[in-house]
Amino acid sequence: MSPWWMLLPAILFVLNFVGGLVQDTGDRANAVYDLPTLVASGAIEAALAGYAMLAARVSAEPIAGTLAIRRVPLRPALVTGAVGLVVILASEAVLDPIFNGGAQQGIEPTHGPQTTHQWVAVAVAAVMLVLVAPVAEELIFRGLGFAALGPVAVPVTSLLFAIAHGLPSLLVEVAVAGLVLAEIRRRTASVLPGMGVHIAFNGIALVVAFLTL
């Protein structure tokens, strides 16, 4: 598959990151309750997944094979995923107090949900963060990215993954997570174990954010 398929997403990710540098995003501590933003983010994630599948289809490649949507032996995948999850959690425990990325991302609210609107927002956030985002991001970065970028896929997709999150404070934390997820993809030749790790990490982060209020 042509590496040019990653050009458009890369441009959009860089523009989003630059926008985060030059714009004052204000207090995002309770962004998890911002329902319109959550819905818009979910739509963008779905569009990215659709783009990855479209790229495979237009390239006359089998979608599942191109995006590495394939089953792998369960036990090795579980071991690799578990090790990867521990590494990501450990890196977050070290890096987040330094860069404060979680708070600026808006998933560490200052208070629990207090209105019906906020409860609905939390439910939407759970779906977006724990299901939609991990699946879409694994398809675009570790699926299409690996198919298009070949031998440089691990470092390049990790960097793009970090830039795509749009916040300078998240750059190092997400780059480390991206490297781990890329290595899981490389070792297992499938996006499914990485999806599992991504889902688990986002779920843990969201639960911990509310339990530690």
Side-chain angles (χ1 to χ4, degrees), residues 80-95 173 176-177 179-181 184 197 201:
T80 302
V83 172
L85 180 59
V86 169
V87 172
I88 294 174
L89 289 171
S91 70
E92 286 292 309
V94 173
L95 296 173
E173 296 177 55
V176 172
L179 282 169
V180 175
L181 291 167
I184 292 172
V197 171
F201 173 76

Side-chain angles (χ1 to χ4, degrees), residues 143-182:
L144 179 61
F146 266 67
L149 299 173
V152 298
V154 170
V156 174
T157 60
S158 301
L159 178 60
L160 288 176
F161 183 57
I163 292 172
H165 281 72
L167 292 171
S169 59
L170 284 172
L171 195 62
V172 176
E173 296 177 55
V174 179
V176 172
L179 282 169
V180 175
L181 291 167

Side-chain angles (χ1 to χ4, degrees), residues 3 71 88 90 117 140 157 176 193 199 203:
R71 294 181 180 179
I88 294 174
H117 176 89
I140 193 73
T157 60
V176 172
I199 288 169

